[in-house]
Amino acid sequence: GQNIDQPTEMTATEGAIVQINCTYQTSGFNGLFWYQQHAGEAPTFLSYNVLDGLEEKGRFSSFLSRSKGYSYLLLKELQMKDSASYLCAAPTSGTYKYIFGTGTRLKVLA
Amino acid sequence: NAGVMQNPRHLVRRRGQEARLRCSPMKGHSHVYWYRQLPEEGLKFMVYLQKENIIDESGMPKERFSAEFPKEGPSILRIQQVVRGDSAAYFCASSPGWDRGNTDTQYFGPGTRLTVL
């Protein structure tokens, strides 16, 4: 089957570091995406991993382990504006049909 | 470079009416995808189109829903005889396609929030 799992909610404090995990099962593998979605807004692209390892982009980093079917998004120096849902998504064998997780709702507290 | 455009942003329909949702892809993108998002749920793939072609509509309900992406103009998602269960946010995404040697990342529009009374 094809499935993406991620925690429903997380809470963290401003200035802290938070790691949002994602496990996936897809038919074939064509990379893994992370999107940020603020309430009532469009998902915005954060990162794409196709090779194992850590990709760093400023305060956000994303990690992939293909052998474990696992990824995480690491957010450093949290800011209030980082309060949002974080969506893990993977294209299936057709390379275009993304399967999305239900999203992890992150609350950043002052 | 303008992003993906969708209109209307909010649409209210009574049961039995038709809803038409429009999506203009990002400049240079020839691939369009439609997703539905129910409250507190993830995005669900509905249909993938290229100009004048439906490539994959496996996520579309078999009845009342149709999509097109004509040679000229925006992509349209059409829902006939709407029911309350159709109330959701409908997002369109576009991508340049794999043939350009890139990751074919999908970029999303702001969505149309459909409310069926």
Side-chain angles (χ1 to χ4, degrees), chain A residues 22-95:
Chain A
C22 168
T23 56
Y24 64 89
Q25 287 177 304
T26 55
S27 56
F29 181 73
N30 291 294
L32 192 117
F33 291 84
W34 283 96
Y35 286 82
Q36 180 191 60
Q37 186 178 27
H38 285 99
E41 296 184 13
T44 54
F45 170 74
L46 288 178
S47 68
Y48 171 71
N49 293 68
V50 67
L51 299 175
D52 289 349
L54 189 68
E55 296 262 347
E56 297 190 64
K57 264 192 200 179
R59 292 190 301 116
F60 291 8
S61 303
S62 55
F63 171 84
L64 177 69
S65 168
R66 287 173 295 173
S67 61
K68 294 180 181 172
Y70 166 69
S71 173
Y72 67 72
L73 183 69
L74 193 70
L75 292 77
K76 302 177 195 171
E77 299 167 19
L78 279 174
Q79 301 174 10
M80 300 298 286
K81 66 178 182 179
D82 297 330
S83 292
S85 284
Y86 291 85
L87 312 177
C88 179
T92 57
S93 57
T95 75

Side-chain angles (χ1 to χ4, degrees), chain A residues 30 33 35 37 39-45 48 87 91 94-103 105, chain B residues 9 33 35 37 40-43 45 48 55-56 58 91 98 103-111 113:
Chain A
N30 291 294
F33 291 84
Y35 286 82
Q37 186 178 27
E41 296 184 13
T44 54
F45 170 74
Y48 171 71
L87 312 177
T95 75
Y96 51 78
K97 190 189 301 184
Y98 284 20
I99 304 295
F100 277 88
T102 53
R105 197 159 46 241
Chain B
R9 295 291 304 274
Y33 316 79
Y35 292 84
Q37 187 175 39
E40 309 301 320
E41 291 190 16
L43 289 153
F45 169 83
Y48 161 46
I55 308 301
D56 183 338
S58 60
F91 288 95
W98 287 93
T103 60
D104 201 37
T105 299
Q106 294 181 17
Y107 295 90
F108 285 80
R113 275 143 193 89

